[in-house]
Amino acid sequence: MTPPAPLFFLLLCLPSFTPALALAMPRRPLFRWPWRRASVPAAGYFPPGDAGGTMLTIAPGTGGLGEPLNVILAATSSPAVLIESQANGGFLNFFLSIDFAGECLGQHMGEPQQANLGDGRGFVNESAVLRYDYGDPALGTCQETVQGGNHFRFWRQSGSSANSSALFMATSYEKPIKEHHDIVVNGYNLGRDWLVGNITKSPINTTALTNTSTFSGTTSFGGYTYTTAIAYVSGLLANSSAGVNHAETVGVNGANPVDGLVAVLDVKITTAPANASISAGWRAAPPRTGMAALFLFGVLGVL
Ligand SMILES: *[C@@H]1O[C@H](CO)[C@@H](O)[C@H](O)[C@H]1NC(C)=O
Ligand SMILES: *[C@@H]1O[C@H](CO)[C@@H](O)[C@H](O)[C@H]1NC(C)=O
Ligand SMILES: *[C@@H]1O[C@H](CO)[C@@H](O)[C@H](O)[C@H]1NC(C)=O
Ligand SMILES: *[C@@H]1O[C@H](CO)[C@@H](O)[C@H](O)[C@H]1NC(C)=O
Ligand SMILES: *[C@@H]1O[C@H](CO)[C@@H](O)[C@H](O)[C@H]1NC(C)=O
Ligand SMILES: *[C@@H]1O[C@H](CO)[C@@H](O)[C@H](O)[C@H]1NC(C)=O
Ligand SMILES: *[C@@H]1O[C@H](CO)[C@@H](O)[C@H](O)[C@H]1NC(C)=O
């Protein structure tokens, strides 16, 4: 039996009508407790420079020089990805999906670098270092330590005055250990772009990048699939050599060693293994069209 025309029309409209209504609702609460801290900006991080921080690290023994924080894992990512864990699709698992792993046999070499992310904590030691694993998660980072290669140190923006949970990464491509792990020519920009290329699985042309460049890629590890949107942004990091460690040898033909672009990664878990814990903070995009069709069939079936 066909329902009366107006009812049928209303039923057809209902599934798409509901999300439209949700979008029309104000995004921010109308009332805000005065003592509530600022919410995380839409970009998924607080610019460190807004509150006394800086996008250059301090490397020990350099008289205050440092490396550019040239990649950000934004807080817009799936919540599980922001957790420093290999379980539940956490960011250690995400980085395994692009061939980055913890240090060789758990060893850490050298004094930590420090960064001030403008989150109220001042300069703090790096959390850890991940290295390119040459496709071997177990021992590949030992090869990186000896032969050199891509690596990054990271810090979490987690102080109480700017607690975004975003990760700020100082990425660079280093020379072999016998050359004291200096940075290769253009090694800050190239380290960033090879890491991004590992996500997109096609080379990024460093000299063609601008603050409007965007990319995307899909990678998997341990039963999790990640879809990453990458946007290069300017205005956080200076296009400059000022304060940059190894500036004279890293800049190509007199160019700045740091081009001023930061790759912002928005990493979403799009599939998780069937055994994944639902409470782990990941959620795939709701299957809206499927739900709408199911709803419609259900309603028509009843009538
Ligand atoms: C930073 O690391 C250095 C060297 O390992 C250590 O001496 C210092 O206590 C650390 N600082 C903090 C705040 O953990
Ligand atoms: C920062 O936010 C995280 C997650 O929302 C929370 O667990 C943590 O306690 C917060 N830290 C501070 C210092 O407010
Ligand atoms: C992936 O990373 C490796 C090591 O840094 C690099 O040699 C390679 O060019 C990268 N792949 C892409 C497509 O950028
Ligand atoms: C990279 O971009 C530059 C500048 O746009 C261009 O001249 C060069 O041919 C490009 N290289 C490749 C390999 O596409
Ligand atoms: C992009 O860079 C240009 C200069 O190259 C600058 O004028 C513009 O403001 C930048 N846009 C953003 C969104 O940062
Ligand atoms: C869940 O399944 C994935 C492969 O689909 C496997 O790698 C992982 O070890 C499993 N985890 C648990 C807790 O069984
Ligand atoms: C960085 O500055 C140089 C000039 O010093 C300019 O040629 C180059 O295009 C700039 N790079 C970016 C990515 O804006």
Side-chain angles (χ1 to χ4, degrees), residues 23-74:
L23 279 178
M25 301 286 280
R27 276 161 158 247
R28 288 163 171 276
L30 293 174
F31 176 77
R32 204 178 265 289
W33 297 102
W35 58 85
R36 236 191 96 166
R37 280 186 291 267
S39 54
V40 179
Y45 56 86
F46 292 92
D50 287 0
T54 151
M55 292 294 282
L56 289 180
T57 69
I58 290 181
T62 62
L65 301 176
E67 301 184 348
L69 292 162
N70 51 12
V71 180
I72 296 175
L73 175 63

Side-chain angles (χ1 to χ4, degrees), residues 73 77-97 167 219-228 267-273 275-283:
L73 175 63
S77 302
S78 298
V81 178
L82 296 167
I83 295 169
E84 189 174 337
S85 155
Q86 193 181 326
N88 303 320
F91 78 74
L92 297 177
N93 192 69
F94 167 70
F95 282 110
L96 284 167
S97 82
L167 294 181
T219 57
S220 304
F221 196 87
Y224 287 84
T225 302
Y226 302 93
T227 297
T228 303
V267 183
K268 298 285 202 298
I269 295 176
T270 45
T271 49
N275 60 11
S277 137
I278 293 172
S279 62
W282 88 272
R283 217 166 286 278

Side-chain angles (χ1 to χ4, degrees), residues 33-193:
W33 297 102
W35 58 85
R36 236 191 96 166
R37 280 186 291 267
S39 54
V40 179
Y45 56 86
F46 292 92
D50 287 0
T54 151
M55 292 294 282
L56 289 180
T57 69
I58 290 181
T62 62
L65 301 176
E67 301 184 348
L69 292 162
N70 51 12
V71 180
I72 296 175
L73 175 63
T76 50
S77 302
S78 298
V81 178
L82 296 167
I83 295 169
E84 189 174 337
S85 155
Q86 193 181 326
N88 303 320
F91 78 74
L92 297 177
N93 192 69
F94 167 70
F95 282 110
L96 284 167
S97 82
I98 60 164
D99 297 329
F100 280 80
E103 293 201 86
C104 172
L105 304 173
Q107 298 296 304
H108 182 60
M109 301 191 336
E111 289 280 290
Q113 295 192 14
Q114 301 194 310
N116 179 352
L117 301 182
D119 62 2
R121 297 186 301 155
F123 279 91
V124 295
N125 286 340
E126 69 202 31
S127 297
V129 180
L130 296 190
R131 296 176 187 278
Y132 188 66
D133 69 18
Y134 293 92
D136 175 359
L139 290 173
T141 60
C142 300
Q143 185 180 346
E144 197 281 352
T145 301
V146 176
Q147 282 185 5
N150 211 2
H151 72 311
F152 64 85
R153 310 161 190 281
F154 63 89
W155 289 258
R156 188 187 294 278
Q157 189 172 51
S158 61
S160 57
S161 64
N163 185 11
S164 67
S165 296
L167 294 181
F168 285 66
M169 301 156 46
T171 313
S172 62
Y173 199 96
E174 63 184 359
K175 292 180 177 176
I177 196 165
K178 63 174 190 295
E179 295 176 56
H180 315 292
H181 281 168
D182 283 353
I183 308 301
V184 303
V185 170
N186 206 18
Y188 297 120
N189 300 328
L190 290 176
R192 173 196 64 202
D193 297 337

Side-chain angles (χ1 to χ4, degrees), residues 203-209:
I204 303 296
N205 183 350
T206 300
T207 50
L209 291 170

